[in-house]
C-alpha cells in the first residue's frame, strides 16, 4: 500500500523559481509552465517535459488514443528518419526544405526528420496493395515526435522545433467514402476538444504544402494565437484569414455590408482531404469488385499534442494559477495535512496517509493522489502551491478529523467551493471524477 | 457497446504474406513478426510498428512505467536533438561519432540524434543545482526513440538504427547512496523480466563509451544473441566475454581447472554506476547539511524496449506460432464463431457478439477481445491463424451453445489445453487474467 503513496516532498516540484525580469515576450502559459516546473526550456525550440508535464502529456495521449480508436483508428508508428528519395518523389522536398531538418547517414543516404508522414505511410500501404475494398476504410494513426526547423521558435511548446503530434492517415475506396471518413474524423476532433472542456473553433484552412481539396483547422481562441480567424455572424463562413484575398474583412459568401469578426487562434488541429495526390505517386491501390484495381482516396489529420497541452493551459489558466482540462491534470487530488503541534501534526499526517490509501484503491483514483507532507511549511502556503499547480481537488486534513465522524474539507479548485464531508461522503463525491 | 467490438475482418492482419525465398539470414522472430503483419521493414534499420506490434509495444511501455514508478522513478522526456556542444564537453563526441546521426540546423548549430542522454539530463539537473539532499535520490526516466547509425542493422528490431529505449538517470548525495540506488534499479529490472516470464541472466558488463565504475548487463538467453556470455558453475562469476582477457574460458575467480560455460545472449538491459563523471562536467550538485555543496553521484540504466519486444517473441515462440509474454499480448482473447449453415452461423455470430460485450465490461478485459467474424473461412483455418498470432485465449462458439446452459470451448494457447465452460465459469476463469 505504501508503494502507492506519493509525497510532494519527493516530487520534482516547488523549487520556488521566479520569473526572470525581461521575459515580457513570453505568454502566460509559458511562464506558468516554466516557473512551476512543468516544462523546462533546453535549447532553441527544444524542451524537457518535467514529471508534472509528462503526466499531463501521457494522459492527453490516452484521451487522443481513445477518441481515435473509437472511430476505428489503428495505432502504428512510422520511422522518424524519412528518406529524401520519398520526399522527392512526392515533390515536397524542395518546397519544404527550409523547414526540414536534414541529414545523411554513414552511407551518404539523405533523410529528413519527418514533420508529417504522408510519404512513408502511403509507401507502406503500397507494400500491401492492392488491398481488398472490404478492408477499407483503413485509418492509421501515430502519436510520435515530429520535427520542424522553425526560423523563430516561440512560446515554449506552442511553436517548438520538436513536438509531439498525432497524425492520422485514412485510405478509402472512393472519393465519396473518403469524404465520409473525413467528416467522421472531424467530428471526433470536435468530441475530443469538447471532452477537454476547451473553447475551440473549426474554420476553413489552407491546404499548403500538404495538398488536397478540402481542409479545416481547429483553433483554440486565444490572444496568443498566431493565426487570424474570420467569422461571419450571419452565415456559416469561418475561415483562416490566409484564405481571404487582399485582407478583406467583408464576408465573401454574404454581401458587401457584412463585416467579418476577427479573432486570433492557436491552431491545434488540421485536416486535409487529399484525394489521390499521394496514392497516385506511391501506388497505393485497392481491389474493387466492380472496377478492378483503383487508387485509394486519402485524408490526413493532425493534432499538435504538445501544443494542445500548453494551449489548454493558456486558455484555462489565470495569471497565477494553472488550470488543466480536468481529465488530464497531472494528479487529481492533493491532500494537505494541517501543521499543528507535534502530536496533532502526526495525527493529521497519519490520517492523510490512510485517506490516500483509501482513495488510491478506488478504480478511478489509482495513482491520482499526492500528499503534501511538507508540514514544516504553513498550510496557507501549501494551499497556495496546490491551487497554483491546479490539482482539481484539494483535501484539507485538520482539527475536524477529531469529530465523530471525522470531517474533511474538500476544495474544488475550478469553483473554489469548499465542502465539509465525512469519509463516506467524500468517497461518494470523488467516485464520479473521470480520469484516464 | 458495439463501439467496443473489434472484428478481425477490420484489423490490419492476416494478409497471408509468405516468407520470401532466400531470407535465411533472418531469425525466427523476424520472420514471425514480419510475415504476420506485426512489424514491417521500411528502410535500412528503420521499421513500422503495425497495429498488433504497436499494441504490444504500448503494453510493454506500461509495464516498464509501472516498474520504474514502483521504485520512485519520475517520467520525463528530453529532446531528441542533443547539442554537439554538450557532447564535446563530456568528451563523448569524437569517440561515438561513427555511430551518431549528426546534423546542423538552419543557423549552422550542430546536433546529434541522442542515442543516450547523460549530457542533457545532467545539464538539466545543473539548472536546478544545488538541490537539497533531502530531495535525493532523484530518478528520472524516459521512454523515447533513440538513434544509432549502425554499420549493419540486423534482425529487425534486435539491431535497428531507430529504437525505443527506456533510459533512467539517478542522482544521489553520496557514493554509497548511489550504490544503493543502483542495486534498487537492478532489482526492478529483474522483477520486470520475471513478470514478463522471460529467461534472462544478469552478468557483469563493460562500461565502454558511457563510463563509470560498475556495470551490469541483462540478457535473454538465445542463440540469436550477438553477445557471448560466460558463466561459472562453481562460483557467482557471470560476465560478458568482452571483459575477459585473451578469450580465456577459465574462471578468473575460481581456479585454473574450472571451465566456464558459454552462452549467447540478447542484451536487453544495461546499467552503469557513473560516479561523478557527468556531474563534474556539467556541475550537477547538491546541498548537504554537513558538508555544503557537493557533486551528485549518478547512475544510468537502459532497457531496449523495442528490442525486448522482439527478443521476447524470439525466445518464447515456436517456428510457426508467435508467443508473447502473456501480459503484453496485443489482445488477450479471440472469439471464433463456427461456420455452420446460415441460421446456425448467424446464431454463432450473435452469441459471439454478446460474449464479446460481456467480457469487455470486465475491468481486466476492456478492449482485449476480438471476434474473428470471417465466417466464410473454415474454423480450422481461423483457429490456426489465432494460434499463429498468439492470442493467449481462444474461445470457440459452436453447437454446444444450444445446450442448457450454453457451453463454450476455451483454449489456452500456452498449453493447448481446452476447457468446456458455461458463461459464468468462463467469466470466473478469465477474471484472473492479468492485463495492463
Amino acid at each position: 500500500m505504501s508503494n502507492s503513496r506519493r509525497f510532494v516532498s519527493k516530487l520534482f516540484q516547488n523549487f520556488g523559481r521566479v520569473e526572470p525580469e525581461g521575459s515580457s515576450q513570453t505568454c502566460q502559459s509559458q511562464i506558468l509552465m516554466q516557473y512551476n516546473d512543468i516544462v523546462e526550456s533546453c535549447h532553441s525550440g527544444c524542451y524537457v517535459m518535467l514529471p508534472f508535464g509528462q503526466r499531463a502529456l501521457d494522459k492527453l495521449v490516452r484521451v487522443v488514443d481513445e477518441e481515435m480508436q473509437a472511430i476505428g483508428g489503428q495505432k502504428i508508428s512510422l520511422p522518424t528518419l524519412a528518406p529524401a528519395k520519398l520526399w522527392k518523389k512526392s515533390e515536397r522536398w524542395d518546397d519544404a526544405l527550409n523547414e526540414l531538418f536534414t541529414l545523411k547517414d554513414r552511407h551518404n543516404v539523405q533523410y529528413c526528420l519527418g514533420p508529417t508522414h504522408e510519404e512513408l505511410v502511403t509507401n507502406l500501404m503500397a507494400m500491401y496493395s492492392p488491398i481488398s475494398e472490404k478492408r477499407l476504410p483503413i485509418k492509421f494513426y501515430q502519436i510520435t515526435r515530429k520535427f520542424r526547423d522553425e526560423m523563430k521558435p516561440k512560446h515554449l511548446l506552442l511553436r517548438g522545433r520538436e513536438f509531439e503530434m498525432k497524425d492520422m492517415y485514412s485510405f478509402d475506396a472512393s472519393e465519396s467514402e473518403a469524404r465520409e471518413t473525413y467528416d467522421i474524423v472531424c467530428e471526433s476532433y470536435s468530441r475530443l476538444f469538447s471532452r477537454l472542456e476547451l473553447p475551440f473553433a473549426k474554420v476553413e484552412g489552407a491546404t499548403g504544402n500538404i495538398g488536397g481539396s478540402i481542409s479545416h483547422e481547429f483553433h483554440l481562441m486565444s490572444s496568443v494565437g498566431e493565426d487570424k480567424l474570420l467569422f461571419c455572424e450571419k452565415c456559416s463562413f469561418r475561415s483562416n484569414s490566409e484564405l481571404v484575398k487582399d485582407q478583406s474583412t467583408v464576408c465573401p459568401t454574404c454581401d458587401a455590408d457584412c463585416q467579418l469578426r476577427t479573432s486570433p487562434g492557436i491552431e491545434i488541429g488540421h485536416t486535409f482531404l487529399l484525394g489521390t495526390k499521394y496514392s497516385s505517386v506511391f501506388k497505393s491501390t485497392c481491389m474493387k469488385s466492380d472496377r478492378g484495381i483503383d487508387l485509394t482516396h486519402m485524408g490526413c489529420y493532425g493534432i499538435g499534442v504538445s501544443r494542445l497541452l500548453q494551449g489548454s493551459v493558456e486558455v484555462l489558466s489565470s495569471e497565477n494559477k494553472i488550470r488543466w482540462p480536468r481529465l488530464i491534470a497531472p494528479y487529481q487530488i492533493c491532500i494537505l495535512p494541517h501543521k499543528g503541534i507535534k502530536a496533532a501534526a502526526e495525527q493529521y499526517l497519519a490520517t492523510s496517509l490512510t485517506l490516500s490509501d483509501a482513495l488510491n484503491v478506488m478504480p478511478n483514483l489509482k495513482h491520482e493522489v499526492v500528499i503534501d507532507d511538507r508540514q514544516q511549511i504553513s498550510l496557507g502556503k501549501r494551499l497556495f502551491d496546490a491551487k497554483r499547480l491546479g490539482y482539481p481537488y484539494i483535501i484539507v486534513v485538520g482539527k475536524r478529523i477529531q469529530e465523530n465522524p471525522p470531517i474533511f474539507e474538500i476544495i474544488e479548485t475550478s469553483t473554489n467551493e469548499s465542502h465539509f464531508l465525512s469519509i463516506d461522503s467524500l468517497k461518494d463525491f470523488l467516485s464520479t471524477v473521470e480520469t484516464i
Side-chain angles (χ1 to χ4, degrees), chain A residues 246-400:
Chain A
D246 309 326
Q247 299 290 308
S248 164
T249 56
V250 175
C251 179
T253 60
C254 289
D255 55 52
D257 288 343
C258 180
Q259 285 292 310
L260 294 168
R261 180 168 62 83
T262 69
S263 171
I266 300 172
E267 186 190 323
I268 49 174
H270 204 152
T271 58
F272 302 82
L273 188 64
L274 293 172
T276 58
K277 172 175 174 180
Y278 296 91
S279 52
S280 61
V281 173
F282 296 101
K283 309 299 176 211
S284 159
T285 60
C286 60
M287 175 71 82
K288 290 178 169 178
S289 54
D290 56 345
R291 272 179 299 167
I293 291 173
D294 207 351
L295 292 174
T296 57
H297 290 255
M298 292 176 56
C300 71
Y301 318 87
I303 290 179
V305 178
S306 44
R307 182 188 283 178
L308 174 57
L309 180 67
Q310 185 180 332
S312 303
V313 169
E314 180 68 31
V315 298
L316 297 177
S317 301
S318 65
E319 194 186 341
N320 297 313
K321 290 174 188 154
I322 298 181
R323 288 297 172 268
W324 312 87
R326 278 178 296 181
L327 187 56
I328 65 165
Y331 295 93
Q332 290 293 326
I333 297 168
C334 180
I335 301 177
L336 291 179
H338 243 282
K339 216 170 163 179
I341 54 164
K342 193 164 184 305
E346 279 170 15
Q347 195 199 354
Y348 299 150
L349 182 61
T351 303
S352 297
L353 300 183
T354 313
L355 177 62
S356 169
D357 295 347
L359 299 179
N360 250 308
V361 294
M362 291 169 63
N364 60 329
L365 298 183
K366 194 179 173 193
H367 299 317
E368 290 295 341
V369 184
V370 302
I371 306 154
D372 193 342
D373 56 332
R374 302 172 301 156
Q375 280 177 296
Q376 73 282 11
I377 299 176
S378 76
L379 186 84
K381 169 73 172 69
R382 283 179 289 148
L383 194 56
F384 178 81
D385 282 348
K387 288 182 177 176
R388 178 171 58 78
L389 286 168
Y391 299 96
Y393 302 95
I394 300 168
I395 303 175
V396 179
V397 177
K399 272 188 190 163
R400 294 193 60 186

Side-chain angles (χ1 to χ4, degrees), chain A residues 137-150:
Chain A
I138 285 173
K139 305 184 199 93
F140 280 141
Y141 79 98
Q142 59 174 353
I143 303 178
T144 53
R145 196 168 291 181
K146 309 296 192 302
F147 299 82
R148 195 178 292 143
D149 194 0
E150 293 279 355

Side-chain angles (χ1 to χ4, degrees), chain A residues 63-64 67-68 71 166 181-203 216-220 238 268-271 301-303 308 327:
Chain A
V63 186
V64 175
E67 294 298 334
M68 294 305 109
I71 57 165
K166 188 283 302 178
T181 298
Y182 182 86
D183 290 339
I184 287 170
V185 180
C186 284
E187 282 158 24
S188 85
Y189 276 28
S190 295
R191 266 195 305 277
L192 169 69
F193 302 134
S194 300
R195 199 170 158 200
L196 296 171
E197 307 174 88
L198 295 171
F200 72 96
K202 178 186 173 193
V203 303
H216 289 91
E217 299 172 359
F218 293 78
H219 286 266
L220 292 177
R238 307 174 135 221
I268 49 174
H270 204 152
T271 58
Y301 318 87
I303 290 179
L308 174 57
L327 187 56

Side-chain angles (χ1 to χ4, degrees), chain A residues 226-230 237 239-252 258-263:
Chain A
E226 297 188 45
D227 287 277
K228 187 177 154 195
L229 312 180
L230 300 174
F237 180 81
S239 174
N240 192 313
S241 64
E242 290 170 2
L243 288 180
V244 178
K245 285 180 190 136
D246 309 326
Q247 299 290 308
S248 164
T249 56
V250 175
C251 179
C258 180
Q259 285 292 310
L260 294 168
R261 180 168 62 83
T262 69
S263 171

Side-chain angles (χ1 to χ4, degrees), chain A residues 49-100:
Chain A
M49 297 300 301
L50 292 170
F52 267 54
Q54 185 68 40
R55 277 185 66 89
L57 182 65
D58 280 351
K59 290 182 180 191
L60 181 54
V61 164
R62 290 199 289 272
V63 186
V64 175
D65 274 336
E66 276 195 3
E67 294 298 334
M68 294 305 109
Q69 288 171 22
I71 57 165
Q74 298 193 64
K75 194 173 189 177
I76 62 172
S77 53
L78 297 160
T80 298
L81 294 168
K85 199 176 60 176
L86 295 183
W87 274 67
K88 287 174 180 169
K89 207 168 167 183
S90 66
E91 299 181 356
R92 286 216 293 163
W93 183 264
D94 292 330
D95 281 356
L97 199 53
N98 264 343
E99 296 208 327
L100 291 178

